[in-house]
mmCIF file of all heavy atoms in Angstrom:
data_model
loop_
_atom_site.group_PDB
_atom_site.id
_atom_site.type_symbol
_atom_site.label_atom_id
_atom_site.label_comp_id
_atom_site.label_asym_id
_atom_site.label_seq_id
_atom_site.Cartn_x
_atom_site.Cartn_y
_atom_site.Cartn_z
ATOM 1 N N ASP A 435 -11.627 -50.755 -17.510
ATOM 2 C CA ASP A 435 -11.450 -49.456 -18.155
ATOM 3 C C ASP A 435 -10.550 -49.532 -19.381
ATOM 4 O O ASP A 435 -10.730 -48.794 -20.333
ATOM 5 C CB ASP A 435 -10.860 -48.441 -17.165
ATOM 6 C CG ASP A 435 -11.835 -48.087 -16.052
ATOM 7 O OD1 ASP A 435 -13.061 -48.256 -16.279
ATOM 8 O OD2 ASP A 435 -11.381 -47.608 -14.988
ATOM 9 N N ALA A 436 -9.580 -50.428 -19.372
ATOM 10 C CA ALA A 436 -8.655 -50.537 -20.490
ATOM 11 C C ALA A 436 -9.228 -51.357 -21.663
ATOM 12 O O ALA A 436 -8.510 -51.618 -22.630
ATOM 13 C CB ALA A 436 -7.340 -51.178 -20.032
ATOM 14 N N PHE A 437 -10.474 -51.743 -21.604
ATOM 15 C CA PHE A 437 -11.139 -52.404 -22.700
ATOM 16 C C PHE A 437 -11.630 -51.330 -23.667
ATOM 17 O O PHE A 437 -12.645 -50.676 -23.414
ATOM 18 C CB PHE A 437 -12.302 -53.244 -22.186
ATOM 19 C CG PHE A 437 -13.071 -53.974 -23.298
ATOM 20 C CD1 PHE A 437 -12.499 -55.043 -23.955
ATOM 21 C CD2 PHE A 437 -14.362 -53.564 -23.654
ATOM 22 C CE1 PHE A 437 -13.198 -55.711 -24.943
ATOM 23 C CE2 PHE A 437 -15.056 -54.236 -24.636
ATOM 24 C CZ PHE A 437 -14.466 -55.299 -25.301
ATOM 25 N N MET A 438 -10.887 -51.105 -24.739
ATOM 26 C CA MET A 438 -11.149 -49.960 -25.614
ATOM 27 C C MET A 438 -11.124 -50.354 -27.083
ATOM 28 O O MET A 438 -10.477 -49.698 -27.912
ATOM 29 C CB MET A 438 -10.123 -48.880 -25.329
ATOM 30 C CG MET A 438 -10.529 -47.455 -25.667
ATOM 31 S SD MET A 438 -9.202 -46.271 -25.326
ATOM 32 C CE MET A 438 -9.273 -46.223 -23.533
ATOM 33 N N PRO A 439 -11.816 -51.433 -27.496
ATOM 34 C CA PRO A 439 -11.744 -51.862 -28.901
ATOM 35 C C PRO A 439 -12.486 -50.910 -29.851
ATOM 36 O O PRO A 439 -12.229 -50.954 -31.071
ATOM 37 C CB PRO A 439 -12.435 -53.231 -28.888
ATOM 38 C CG PRO A 439 -13.360 -53.153 -27.749
ATOM 39 C CD PRO A 439 -12.687 -52.331 -26.708
ATOM 40 N N PHE A 440 -13.387 -50.103 -29.317
ATOM 41 C CA PHE A 440 -14.143 -49.168 -30.136
ATOM 42 C C PHE A 440 -13.535 -47.749 -30.159
ATOM 43 O O PHE A 440 -14.166 -46.811 -30.574
ATOM 44 C CB PHE A 440 -15.594 -49.078 -29.657
ATOM 45 C CG PHE A 440 -16.318 -50.404 -29.715
ATOM 46 C CD1 PHE A 440 -16.536 -51.166 -28.571
ATOM 47 C CD2 PHE A 440 -16.803 -50.898 -30.910
ATOM 48 C CE1 PHE A 440 -17.207 -52.377 -28.623
ATOM 49 C CE2 PHE A 440 -17.477 -52.100 -30.984
ATOM 50 C CZ PHE A 440 -17.674 -52.849 -29.827
ATOM 51 N N SER A 441 -12.294 -47.635 -29.669
ATOM 52 C CA SER A 441 -11.623 -46.351 -29.498
ATOM 53 C C SER A 441 -12.410 -45.537 -28.425
ATOM 54 O O SER A 441 -13.136 -46.089 -27.624
ATOM 55 C CB SER A 441 -11.523 -45.604 -30.815
ATOM 56 O OG SER A 441 -10.652 -44.493 -30.693
ATOM 57 N N ALA A 442 -12.214 -44.227 -28.427
ATOM 58 C CA ALA A 442 -12.821 -43.398 -27.396
ATOM 59 C C ALA A 442 -12.872 -41.956 -27.869
ATOM 60 O O ALA A 442 -12.261 -41.584 -28.869
ATOM 61 C CB ALA A 442 -12.042 -43.486 -26.087
ATOM 62 N N GLY A 443 -13.621 -41.099 -27.152
ATOM 63 C CA GLY A 443 -13.698 -39.721 -27.475
ATOM 64 C C GLY A 443 -14.680 -39.417 -28.619
ATOM 65 O O GLY A 443 -15.504 -40.238 -28.970
ATOM 66 N N ARG A 444 -14.491 -38.266 -29.242
ATOM 67 C CA ARG A 444 -15.477 -37.798 -30.232
ATOM 68 C C ARG A 444 -15.395 -38.583 -31.544
ATOM 69 O O ARG A 444 -16.302 -38.466 -32.372
ATOM 70 C CB ARG A 444 -15.275 -36.295 -30.498
ATOM 71 C CG ARG A 444 -13.975 -35.922 -31.183
ATOM 72 C CD ARG A 444 -13.642 -34.437 -30.949
ATOM 73 N NE ARG A 444 -14.610 -33.546 -31.534
ATOM 74 C CZ ARG A 444 -14.463 -32.903 -32.713
ATOM 75 N NH1 ARG A 444 -13.349 -33.089 -33.405
ATOM 76 N NH2 ARG A 444 -15.400 -32.094 -33.155
ATOM 77 N N ARG A 445 -14.370 -39.380 -31.745
ATOM 78 C CA ARG A 445 -14.260 -40.204 -32.942
ATOM 79 C C ARG A 445 -14.469 -41.684 -32.636
ATOM 80 O O ARG A 445 -14.128 -42.550 -33.452
ATOM 81 C CB ARG A 445 -12.905 -40.008 -33.618
ATOM 82 C CG ARG A 445 -12.715 -38.634 -34.273
ATOM 83 C CD ARG A 445 -13.406 -38.569 -35.600
ATOM 84 N NE ARG A 445 -13.210 -37.275 -36.244
ATOM 85 C CZ ARG A 445 -13.490 -37.011 -37.511
ATOM 86 N NH1 ARG A 445 -13.998 -37.938 -38.266
ATOM 87 N NH2 ARG A 445 -13.294 -35.791 -38.002
ATOM 88 N N ALA A 446 -15.023 -41.986 -31.463
ATOM 89 C CA ALA A 446 -15.273 -43.374 -31.147
ATOM 90 C C ALA A 446 -16.278 -43.977 -32.119
ATOM 91 O O ALA A 446 -17.068 -43.252 -32.749
ATOM 92 C CB ALA A 446 -15.811 -43.481 -29.701
ATOM 93 N N CYS A 447 -16.264 -45.291 -32.273
ATOM 94 C CA CYS A 447 -17.144 -45.957 -33.200
ATOM 95 C C CYS A 447 -18.599 -45.605 -32.918
ATOM 96 O O CYS A 447 -19.099 -45.851 -31.821
ATOM 97 C CB CYS A 447 -16.943 -47.472 -33.082
ATOM 98 S SG CYS A 447 -18.115 -48.448 -34.071
ATOM 99 N N LEU A 448 -19.307 -45.078 -33.919
ATOM 100 C CA LEU A 448 -20.684 -44.647 -33.705
ATOM 101 C C LEU A 448 -21.646 -45.831 -33.667
ATOM 102 O O LEU A 448 -22.797 -45.724 -33.256
ATOM 103 C CB LEU A 448 -21.114 -43.598 -34.702
ATOM 104 C CG LEU A 448 -21.084 -43.858 -36.193
ATOM 105 C CD1 LEU A 448 -22.266 -44.660 -36.665
ATOM 106 C CD2 LEU A 448 -21.033 -42.557 -36.958
ATOM 107 N N GLY A 449 -21.169 -47.017 -34.129
ATOM 108 C CA GLY A 449 -22.034 -48.196 -34.112
ATOM 109 C C GLY A 449 -21.731 -49.154 -32.977
ATOM 110 O O GLY A 449 -22.092 -50.340 -33.040
#
Side-chain angles (χ1 to χ4, degrees):
D435 291 339
F437 179 72
M438 205 182 286
F440 299 102
S441 191
R444 67 200 296 260
R445 290 280 182 168
C447 174
L448 58 80

